[in-house]
């Protein structure tokens, strides 16, 4: 779609993307008004289309990440398909990829070639591990990057490590990519030159691990996961209530601890005890404090605990499941849900986080595979006869009377799954 509203109106982004990281990057730009042309393999398209069929036959990942985009089906093994892609890039402002290691070079889309051929273009290549290291040639999925970066070692419990639930590596990499593209587009206003950007899942996760890695570097020890808590502060965790719920209570400094002990627990002896005076002491004696708080919470309802905590200025939350959040009254009161169109009819999606005064996010339809191919080619100046000739040449996949066996393979020679 041609997004006429939003601060990025007039910006065109072309993508070769799959799964989460690059699609979240480009959807973020589309939410802000950019026109995003998503180039897909004619044989199935973005494999995230087929992760499940839970949304009226479409996949939840694809619904989440692909609103407001134009889908163009191109066979990039064909000369005609590659020529069309280059025509798109000549008119584009940004180009985003998350292909398997070496795939952009095999397609002639490596950073050096792009900079020479399209000097105006801001190109962003998302990879698993970045260039120049022993892992650079490895495939990467969200879980693999989280495991390699140490994130799984500080999640869960000491004898039960876990992957953080959301795709943190994919998501944060996509957002870092979007931030970098915006910065490069701003710089282009000054210099007239595009830029080459590289962002990796591993580097994004190492950045998010900044606190625990700094702690380990200077302590010489591994941090130990504490489940629904934090190794940095205590008391800070989840406690069952008398009415069957779970409340999460947190303190982050000495004054909050004193208020929690005095005003919630009614335990001035805990507030003044030397063994709990400093934050590092409370971390040492976490188990003792958790027992005291758990005993108090077990005697009170969730509503009473939250009311008392709010009155005392103590951070608190209800532990919710995903179905709880779907019906969350805070989202409903703030009108955070919207309907967008899709190939399977209207579907519900949540608004993007940024609220920009005077600007509404662009929430366009979710595209069917190749839905906008002819529309986009027409905007490039191709007429119907030229489009028919390109189709006969295999630009959009197997021609009707063509039985070339090669077209059944992935045109991108192995896109990195899960990133």
């Amino acid at each position: 779609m041609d997004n006429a509203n939003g601060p990025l109106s007039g910006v065109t982004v072309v993508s070769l993307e799959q799964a989460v990281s690059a699609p979240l990057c480009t959807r973020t730009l589309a939410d802000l008004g950019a026109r995003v042309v998503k180039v897909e393999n004619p044989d199935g398209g973005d494999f995230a289309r087929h992760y499940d069929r839970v949304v009226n036959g479409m996949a939840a990942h694809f619904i989440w990440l692909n609103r407001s985009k134009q889908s163009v089906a191109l066979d990039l093994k064909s000369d005609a398909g590659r020529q069309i892609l280059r025509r798109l890039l000549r008119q584009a402002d940004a180009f985003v990829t998350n292909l398997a290691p070496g795939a952009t070079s095999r397609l002639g889309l490596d950073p050096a070639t792009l900079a020479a051929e399209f000097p105006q273009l801001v190109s962003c290549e998302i990879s698993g591990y970045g260039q120049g290291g022993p892992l650079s040639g490895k495939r990467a999925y969200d879980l693999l990057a989280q495991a390699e970066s140490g994130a799984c070692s500080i999640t869960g419990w000491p004898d039960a490590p876990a992957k953080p639930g959301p795709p943190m590596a994919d998501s944060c990499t996509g957002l870092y990519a979007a931030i970098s593209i915006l910065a490069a587009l701003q710089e282009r206003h000054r210099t007239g030159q595009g830029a080459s950007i590289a962002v990796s899942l591993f580097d994004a996760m190492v950045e998010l691990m900044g606190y625990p890695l700094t702690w380990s570097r200077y302590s010489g020890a591994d941090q130990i996961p504490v489940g629904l808590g934090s190794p940095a502060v205590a008391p800070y965790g989840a406690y069952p209530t008398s009415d069957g719920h779970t409340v999460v209570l947190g303190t982050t400094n000495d004054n909050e601890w004193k208020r929690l002990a005095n005003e919630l627990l009614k335990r001035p002896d805990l507030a003044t005890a030397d063994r709990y005076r400093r934050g590092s002491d409370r971390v040492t004696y976490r188990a003792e404090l958790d027992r005291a708080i758990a005993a108090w919470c077990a005697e009170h309802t969730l509503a009473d605990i939250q009311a008392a905590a709010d009155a005392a200025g103590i951070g608190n939350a209800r532990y919710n499941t995903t179905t709880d959040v779907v019906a969350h009254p805070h989202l409903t009161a703030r009108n955070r849900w919207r309907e967008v169109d899709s190939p399977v009819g209207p579907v519900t999606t949540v608004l993007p986080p940024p609220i920009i005064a005077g600007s509404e996010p662009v929430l366009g339809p979710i595209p069917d595979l190749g839905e906008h191919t002819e529309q986009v080619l027409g905007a490039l100046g191709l007429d119907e006869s030229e489009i028919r000739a390109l189709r006969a040449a295999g630009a959009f996949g197997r021609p009707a009377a063509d039985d070339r066996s090669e077209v059944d393979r992935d045109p991108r020679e192995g896109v990195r799954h899960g990133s």
Side-chain angles (χ1 to χ4, degrees):
M1 65 181 289
D2 189 4
N3 298 340
N5 300 313
L8 293 184
S9 176
V11 171
T12 295
V13 180
V14 175
S15 69
L16 294 178
E17 60 180 28
Q18 302 268 23
V20 176
S21 60
L24 180 56
C25 169
T26 58
R27 198 218 72 189
T28 299
L29 301 176
D31 289 342
L32 295 170
R35 172 189 179 225
V36 175
V37 179
K38 181 184 178 84
V39 176
E40 299 189 70
N41 172 12
D43 185 13
D46 181 343
F47 53 74
R49 287 180 176 274
H50 313 292
Y51 277 164
D52 56 59
R53 298 175 57 82
V54 70
V55 187
N56 302 326
M58 291 192 73
H61 273 86
F62 197 82
I63 293 291
W64 168 37
L65 295 166
N66 289 282
R67 64 181 177 234
S68 304
K69 299 180 184 181
Q70 295 177 311
S71 173
V72 172
L74 292 180
D75 182 353
L76 297 183
K77 295 187 311 300
S78 71
D79 289 338
R82 291 191 296 271
Q83 289 170 9
I84 293 172
L85 177 59
R86 280 178 148 72
R87 289 187 66 162
L88 285 169
L89 294 179
R90 280 197 290 273
Q91 297 186 7
D93 298 288
F95 179 47
V96 181
T97 64
N98 66 328
L99 309 189
T104 54
S105 294
R106 291 192 293 272
L107 290 169
L109 300 172
D110 56 279
T113 300
L114 291 172
E117 191 172 347
F118 310 103
Q120 90 293 347
L121 191 67
V122 172
S123 67
C124 181
E125 183 167 358
I126 295 174
S127 67
Y129 295 102
Q131 297 301 311
L135 302 183
S136 295
K138 292 177 69 68
R139 293 172 181 267
Y141 317 139
D142 179 83
L143 170 59
L144 304 183
Q146 295 209 44
E148 195 76 43
S149 68
C152 297
S153 76
I154 62 167
T155 308
W157 295 96
D159 57 348
K163 171 193 173 296
M168 299 297 296
D170 278 341
S171 299
C172 291
T173 303
L175 294 175
Y176 272 117
I179 291 168
S180 302
I181 290 167
L182 294 175
L185 290 173
Q186 176 64 24
E187 177 72 359
R188 194 182 68 172
H189 284 305
R190 186 176 66 84
T191 66
Q193 292 294 311
S196 297
I197 299 167
V199 189
S200 77
L201 275 67
F202 181 70
D203 290 343
M205 280 309 302
V206 169
E207 166 64 20
L208 295 184
M209 290 288 290
Y211 156 67
L213 293 179
T214 301
W215 192 92
S216 291
R217 174 180 286 276
Y218 289 96
S219 71
D222 290 327
Q223 281 206 325
I224 305 301
V226 292
L228 270 172
S230 168
V233 293
Y236 192 35
Y239 310 95
T241 68
S242 66
D243 54 345
H245 296 290
T246 297
V247 67
V248 179
L249 296 172
T251 61
T252 59
N253 58 61
D254 295 342
N255 287 332
E256 285 184 353
W257 158 243
K258 292 174 184 176
R259 292 200 303 273
L260 188 150
N262 284 320
E263 300 179 37
L264 265 69
L265 305 185
K266 309 300 184 185
R267 292 284 305 273
D269 58 310
L270 297 181
T272 58
D274 284 342
R275 68 195 282 116
Y276 307 138
R277 188 176 302 276
R278 291 178 296 272
S280 58
D281 298 326
R282 294 191 294 276
V283 169
T284 299
Y285 298 107
R286 178 194 307 276
E288 296 177 8
L289 297 177
D290 280 343
R291 282 194 293 271
I293 297 171
W296 181 80
C297 288
E299 297 175 350
H300 296 80
T301 67
L302 174 67
D304 287 343
I305 293 168
Q306 291 198 280
D310 286 341
I314 300 299
N316 64 91
R318 172 185 169 179
Y319 168 80
N320 285 319
T321 66
T322 52
T323 50
D324 292 331
V325 178
V326 167
H328 203 297
H330 195 65
L331 294 174
T332 301
R334 297 166 64 236
N335 194 27
R336 297 294 294 166
W337 296 103
R338 293 289 191 280
E339 278 196 348
V340 300
D341 202 4
S342 80
V344 294
V347 297
T348 303
T349 185
V350 70
L351 286 172
I355 299 174
I356 302 174
S359 178
E360 286 292 317
V362 175
L363 301 175
I366 296 153
D368 206 353
L369 174 59
E371 177 180 347
H372 303 93
T373 302
E374 294 195 10
Q375 175 186 341
V376 170
L377 266 57
L380 289 176
L382 280 68
D383 60 28
E384 290 184 10
S385 62
E386 291 173 304
I387 293 173
R388 284 197 301 273
L390 287 167
R391 180 174 289 106
F396 316 131
R398 184 195 296 270
D402 191 348
D403 63 352
R404 295 173 299 163
S405 60
E406 287 273 305
V407 300
D408 292 327
R409 294 191 292 108
D410 190 331
R412 297 178 183 84
E413 302 177 66
V415 179
R416 182 174 54 262
H417 291 230
S419 62

